[in-house]
Amino acid sequence: MLSRKHANTMWIFGYGSLIWRPDFEHVEHRDGYLEGWTRKFYQGSTDHRGVPGAPGRVVTLLREPQARVWGRAYRIAPARANEIMARLDHREKGGYERHQVNVYCRSGESVRDALVYVATRENPEWAGPAPVDEIARQIYRSHGPSGPNREYLLELAASLRKMEAHDPHVFAIEHALRELIGEEF
């Protein structure tokens, strides 16, 4: 558990683009994981990695007993919390809601009650499950205001490797995407 001096600070847990592009000021970050959750490319994106009529795909979390999902916890300064949360709420507006989670850090410490954004199955952007090759093709074709959807996938996969975190779903889609890119050349 973290020391008392950090008891009133706020932590945000990122498991997608927040790993490699947090885009907010933070005091520190720690790699860690959540228990009982899995990461899936089941959320559509018409505001960042796709557009209306041609959505991209981004990750969300699903509850799954015995699963573990790696990501990064960011501690934010209390004085900046309202501003940062307003920006994150805007960034994650496409069907995500806040949850509180415990993050287990590589250091052996844990972060209690970190905030994480999770897309709901009921949101209008929900894409749901699909075969790996179909998800890869959608990601290959999609581009939105935040850039190409393939960048999102490739950066996420690279970040997970740097963290030494294995994610079979992400890596399978990355492999299928790389095959598509290879066919283009």
Side-chain angles (χ1 to χ4, degrees), residues 32-93:
Y33 61 89
L34 307 181
E35 293 278 353
W37 295 89
T38 188
R39 175 185 9 244
K40 298 291 183 185
F41 270 92
Y42 288 1
Q43 177 66 5
S45 176
T46 58
D47 57 348
H48 289 291
R49 296 298 175 162
V51 294
R57 277 192 181 246
V58 292
V59 292
T60 188
L61 297 178
L62 299 175
R63 291 199 182 271
E64 183 178 308
Q66 309 306 314
R68 181 179 283 183
V69 63
W70 282 90
R72 186 161 287 153
Y74 298 92
R75 183 168 63 91
I76 59 176
R80 305 287 311 273
N82 288 339
E83 170 197 342
I84 291 169
M85 291 312 301
R87 286 180 58 202
L88 285 172
D89 284 347
H90 179 75
R91 179 175 170 164
E92 307 297 337
K93 67 184 177 213

Side-chain angles (χ1 to χ4, degrees), residues 18-180:
L18 288 181
I19 295 174
W20 54 274
R21 196 183 77 179
D23 198 27
F24 58 86
E25 184 180 318
H26 52 280
V27 177
E28 68 175 302
H29 70 269
R30 297 178 185 191
D31 293 346
Y33 61 89
L34 307 181
E35 293 278 353
W37 295 89
T38 188
R39 175 185 9 244
K40 298 291 183 185
F41 270 92
Y42 288 1
Q43 177 66 5
S45 176
T46 58
D47 57 348
H48 289 291
R49 296 298 175 162
V51 294
R57 277 192 181 246
V58 292
V59 292
T60 188
L61 297 178
L62 299 175
R63 291 199 182 271
E64 183 178 308
Q66 309 306 314
R68 181 179 283 183
V69 63
W70 282 90
R72 186 161 287 153
Y74 298 92
R75 183 168 63 91
I76 59 176
R80 305 287 311 273
N82 288 339
E83 170 197 342
I84 291 169
M85 291 312 301
R87 286 180 58 202
L88 285 172
D89 284 347
H90 179 75
R91 179 175 170 164
E92 307 297 337
K93 67 184 177 213
Y96 289 84
E97 58 184 32
R98 293 183 199 172
H99 289 261
Q100 288 188 307
V101 293
N102 294 327
V103 181
Y104 303 95
C105 303
R106 282 200 194 275
S107 63
E109 295 179 309
S110 63
V111 174
R112 292 191 179 274
D113 299 325
L115 290 177
V116 66
Y117 288 84
V118 178
T120 66
R121 287 183 168 105
E122 297 78 28
N123 84 77
E125 299 281 336
W126 183 256
V132 165
D133 290 341
E134 184 179 316
I135 293 172
R137 281 192 300 276
Q138 185 176 353
I139 289 171
Y140 177 75
R141 293 187 309 262
S142 299
H143 190 284
S146 295
N149 202 174
R150 65 178 86 170
E151 173 191 47
Y152 177 100
L153 168 57
L154 295 174
E155 290 285 352
L156 176 57
S159 296
L160 292 172
R161 282 191 183 87
K162 285 180 192 170
M163 296 168 71
E164 299 179 3
H166 185 68
D167 189 309
H169 178 76
V170 172
F171 294 159
I173 296 168
E174 177 201 25
H175 179 77
L177 175 70
R178 289 189 183 281
E179 285 185 350
L180 287 170

